[in-house]
Amino acid sequence: MSDMDSDRRQFIGRSSALVAGLTLAPGMMLYDLAHGRPVGEPASSKVRWGMLIDTTKCESGCDECVKACNKENGLPGGTGPTDEQWIRKVQLTDLKTGKKTSLPMMCQHCAEPPCVDVCPTGASFKRVDGIVLVDRHLCIGCRYCMMACPYKARSFVHEPLHDQKPDVPRGKGTVESCTLCVQRVDRGETTACAEACEKAGHKAILFGDLNDPDSEISKRIRQVASIRLRDDLGLDTGLHYEGL
Amino acid sequence: MDTLVRKQKELRNFYLLVVFGLMVAMTGMGAAHYMEEHGHIVTGMNNQVVWGMPHVFAIFMIVAASGVLNIASIGSVFGKKPYKARGPLSGLLSIALLAGGLTVLMLDLGRPERVIVAATHINTTSVFGWNVFLYSGLFSLVAVYLWTMLEARMNPWTKPVGLLVFAWRITLTTGTGLIFAFLVARQAYGTAMLPPMFIVMSFSWGLAVLYIVQAAMYGWNRMSLNPHVLRRFRNLLGLFILSVAYLVAVYHMTNLYFARNSAFEHFILIEGGIYPLLFWGGYFFLGTLIPLVLIYSPNLGKHCHVLLASLLVVVGSFCFLYVFIIGGQAFPLSIFPGYEVSSTFGDGQIAYYSPSLPEILLGCGGLGVAFLITTVGVRIFEMLPHDEAAAE
Ligand code: SF4
């Protein structure tokens, strides 16, 4: 794809997201915009960011969310065993009924994250607004968090990096994972994957504040049946899945 | 004159050993440097198998470092003479193995230059964090322990310090077991069985290492082991091998019992290719069965048999750790029970791992460090166990 093309796509994407945001999901978007916080102001513990993924709307051949994540975060997008994948598409077949499901899988942003518990240096940490991150200056690259994560959400940077994005710093020899597009969220925007999914017309990913009873996501979680992956572990994840 | 020639020859051989140890250690450092330059892409490790060969070497050395102190403990805490005579050697080996193991663990980090961060930013909820504290504590404690054993006027302190070291190292091996026991989401780990299993393994592996080193020292000095002492060591090693086998059996049986883990057991014990092969052929046959035969057969059980048994215990321990650490990660996590799963990130698939030369060399480098410390330590201090008076 040419640069022109991608610029144009980005422009269309942004404007359509804005229009969609104002018209289709006003509760969610307006709320988020109102939460864009000035530089220097700490994240608020009043919010808990999360996602509701509607697997019935997720299309099996589609990987727009993955592409958008790679683009937003400057990931090369390889799918080899040593490549970083912050978000991946998982295909499921029910062993009893044969029913097929497709869903995006990423860091589940647990309220009780095992990666944070096991990290020897405190590099793995949870922000007060529920986003689980790695401080790449503190990470020593021991990979214990990768061993501890029940969702295999983390990747290790196996090779020297080039062309990093200024607002998504990364580091060779450290561990990384989905940041819930923290740079966008702090600007009051939604995540790249949710935006791309919406743009592709699926609207399978709903991002928002789980603590606000009036947010779109909270309302929907109250209305529909959703589950959290490996809920038996009691990690209180920020990601909910519908239709599983 | 004769003794002078012999002394000179001995010195030359000593230097040869030192050079050998240095070369192995330096090769390991070179490999680590190469890994750091290019990133872990030059190892066999990947995003599914995140701990590989270096961890097999490192965990062997760290576990054995704790167990090798058993001999010193029995000597100083329970006052048994043949063990007392080996107290200093057991302390030295512990320091050497710990240094070797930690070197490998540290150099395998994605950011080895940040090791100081690990020492200054300790997360108190992390077992890894506790272990940083436990390992450095053991170093200092064993150094003091050695001092109380080697310096006559400090001897009265041997017993209390020995007790402290005993408690410390049991905690340390528990900590090593907990590194895995806390991984609740993985079928291979996440069980309270692991700390006791690691403790008993440490006894067995530590004793095997001590026996091998002792045999080398006796061979060097053209001495032979007192038969009484041989019998004690043989019986102790046999007992430890049996205890490990028992705990390993219980570990797998309980896993088999839990329906959610039976697929994993099936993989590790039967279908998983290299893993069942190493488990049955390496750990069970070479590392357990043959040593038991060598120890308990009426016509065997001589020094050379016990030495061979010790060597096989070490071989078996590496096989066990390979299966435990790497096989445990190769089996996919169960995130969606009841579904067949696939993705670009290895979900639902057995992960592939093949160790690369640099990571094996790094592991050997750690053994080189341990070898070097032992060789030099044995030369500087009076470490050779004398049993003439101690036999009974
Ligand atoms: S790899 Fe980094 S973030 Fe993960 S546990 Fe180790 S130090 Fe913490």
Side-chain angles (χ1 to χ4, degrees), chain A residues 85 88 118 139 144 152 172, chain B residues 36 114 126 179 345 347:
Chain A
Q85 297 186 50
R88 61 189 190 265
V118 302
C139 176
Y144 194 20
K152 222 167 61 148
K172 184 196 100 193
Chain B
E36 214 201 323
R114 286 190 189 160
S126 165
I179 290 178
F345 204 52
D347 287 276

Side-chain angles (χ1 to χ4, degrees), chain A residues 115 118-121 123-124 134 138-146 154 175:
Chain A
C115 57
V118 302
C119 177
T121 64
S124 267
V134 179
L138 278 183
C139 176
I140 55 174
C142 67
R143 285 105 73 203
Y144 194 20
C145 52
M146 298 177 77
R154 292 201 156 174
V175 166

Side-chain angles (χ1 to χ4, degrees), chain A residues 36-91:
Chain A
R37 54 185 172 80
V39 182
E41 187 186 296
S44 161
S45 58
K46 294 200 190 80
V47 241
R48 166 129 198 247
W49 297 116
M51 280 182 174
L52 174 64
I53 291 167
D54 186 347
T55 60
T56 59
K57 291 185 183 154
C58 177
E59 205 179 282
S60 79
C62 169
D63 66 347
E64 289 300 318
C65 52
V66 179
K67 283 193 246 160
C69 173
N70 291 340
K71 182 151 184 258
E72 170 68 28
N73 297 300
L75 307 174
T79 53
T82 52
D83 289 320
E84 306 83 19
Q85 297 186 50
W86 291 11
I87 179 172
R88 61 189 190 265
K89 278 300 295 291
V90 174
Q91 314 299 336

Side-chain angles (χ1 to χ4, degrees), chain A residues 5-241:
Chain A
D5 219 20
S6 83
D7 279 348
R8 192 167 50 99
R9 273 170 59 110
Q10 216 170 25
F11 172 75
I12 298 175
R14 288 219 173 111
S15 34
S16 58
L18 194 65
V19 173
L22 289 173
T23 53
L24 294 173
M28 180 192 156
M29 286 303 283
L30 286 176
Y31 183 87
D32 292 351
L33 287 172
H35 268 71
R37 54 185 172 80
V39 182
E41 187 186 296
S44 161
S45 58
K46 294 200 190 80
V47 241
R48 166 129 198 247
W49 297 116
M51 280 182 174
L52 174 64
I53 291 167
D54 186 347
T55 60
T56 59
K57 291 185 183 154
C58 177
E59 205 179 282
S60 79
C62 169
D63 66 347
E64 289 300 318
C65 52
V66 179
K67 283 193 246 160
C69 173
N70 291 340
K71 182 151 184 258
E72 170 68 28
N73 297 300
L75 307 174
T79 53
T82 52
D83 289 320
E84 306 83 19
Q85 297 186 50
W86 291 11
I87 179 172
R88 61 189 190 265
K89 278 300 295 291
V90 174
Q91 314 299 336
L92 302 175
T93 311
D94 191 314
L95 287 174
K96 285 213 182 86
T97 63
K99 180 181 155 229
K100 294 204 184 299
T101 313
S102 171
L103 52 86
M105 185 68 197
M106 59 207 107
C107 172
Q108 304 286 302
H109 298 279
C110 312
E112 307 286 343
C115 57
V116 172
D117 288 342
V118 302
C119 177
T121 64
S124 267
F125 71 104
K126 191 184 70 173
R127 247 171 50 148
V128 286
D129 55 3
I131 303 183
V132 176
L133 297 170
V134 179
D135 179 335
R136 80 185 170 105
H137 297 290
L138 278 183
C139 176
I140 55 174
C142 67
R143 285 105 73 203
Y144 194 20
C145 52
M146 298 177 77
M147 288 292 271
C149 176
Y151 308 104
K152 222 167 61 148
R154 292 201 156 174
S155 296
F156 181 65
V157 183
H158 286 81
E159 283 174 280
L161 295 168
H162 313 283
D163 306 327
Q164 294 194 45
K165 296 197 68 174
D167 54 353
V168 189
R170 306 171 55 216
K172 184 196 100 193
T174 64
V175 166
E176 52 184 33
S177 53
C178 156
T179 64
L180 222 51
C181 283
V182 69
Q183 70 281 11
R184 296 172 62 112
V185 172
D186 284 349
R187 289 196 303 259
E189 299 167 24
T190 185
T191 66
C193 56
E195 187 181 278
C197 186
E198 169 140 14
K199 218 186 335 170
H202 303 306
K203 287 197 231 139
I205 305 176
L206 179 60
F207 169 80
D209 179 9
L210 297 167
N211 276 356
D212 174 10
D214 297 324
S215 68
E216 186 73 17
I217 186 168
S218 299
K219 284 191 207 150
R220 192 146 177 88
I221 285 176
R222 279 200 300 274
Q223 284 161 6
V224 300
S226 66
I227 61 150
R228 295 190 284 184
L229 302 177
R230 290 298 314 259
D231 215 13
D232 56 317
L233 298 173
L235 305 175
D236 186 5
T237 62
L239 262 76
H240 297 243
Y241 286 83

Side-chain angles (χ1 to χ4, degrees), chain B residues 124-151:
Chain B
T124 46
T125 61
S126 165
V127 233
F128 251 24
W130 306 342
N131 281 351
V132 172
F133 171 68
L134 288 170
Y135 295 152
S136 44
L138 191 71
F139 258 121
S140 346
L141 271 180
V142 175
V144 174
Y145 192 29
L146 272 176
W147 184 35
T148 69
M149 287 190 280
L150 293 170
E151 171 93 39

Side-chain angles (χ1 to χ4, degrees), chain B residues 21-218:
Chain B
L22 265 177
M23 269 165 52
V24 177
M26 292 312 286
T27 313
M29 305 306 119
H33 180 69
Y34 178 73
M35 276 164 62
E36 214 201 323
E37 287 273 284
H38 293 81
H40 275 61
I41 191 88
V42 297
T43 71
M45 291 175 264
N46 52 52
N47 284 325
Q48 334 303 331
V49 178
V50 302
W51 287 352
M53 213 53 187
H55 301 81
V56 171
F57 278 88
I59 292 176
F60 169 77
M61 282 183 265
I62 289 169
V63 170
S66 147
V68 78
L69 281 168
N70 232 11
I71 300 303
S73 297
I74 303 176
S76 50
V77 180
F78 303 107
K80 300 258 196 256
K81 280 194 180 140
Y83 298 102
K84 225 174 181 165
R86 285 160 183 81
L89 179 60
S90 119
L92 174 71
L93 280 175
S94 172
I95 288 191
L97 286 164
L98 199 57
L102 291 182
T103 305
V104 176
L105 216 51
M106 191 188 83
L107 291 177
D108 169 74
L109 292 176
R111 284 302 177 96
E113 82 281 6
R114 286 190 189 160
V115 68
I116 196 75
V117 174
T120 50
H121 285 77
I122 294 188
N123 170 14
T124 46
T125 61
S126 165
V127 233
F128 251 24
W130 306 342
N131 281 351
V132 172
F133 171 68
L134 288 170
Y135 295 152
S136 44
L138 191 71
F139 258 121
S140 346
L141 271 180
V142 175
V144 174
Y145 192 29
L146 272 176
W147 184 35
T148 69
M149 287 190 280
L150 293 170
E151 171 93 39
R153 67 192 165 88
M154 292 299 292
N155 281 172
W157 288 96
T158 304
K159 195 167 177 171
V161 176
L163 268 172
L164 190 60
V165 168
F166 179 77
W168 197 274
R169 74 187 168 84
I170 295 292
T171 316
L172 180 136
T173 318
T174 304
T176 311
L178 284 179
I179 290 178
F180 294 97
F182 281 178
L183 302 173
V184 283
R186 293 195 182 250
Q187 290 88 328
Y189 315 123
T191 147
M193 276 293 300
L194 298 181
M197 193 169 93
F198 269 78
I199 288 177
V200 177
M201 281 172 173
S202 81
F203 292 175
S204 170
W205 304 351
L207 183 60
V209 170
L210 187 115
Y211 198 89
I212 295 167
V213 173
Q214 172 181 271
M217 288 166 72
Y218 274 62

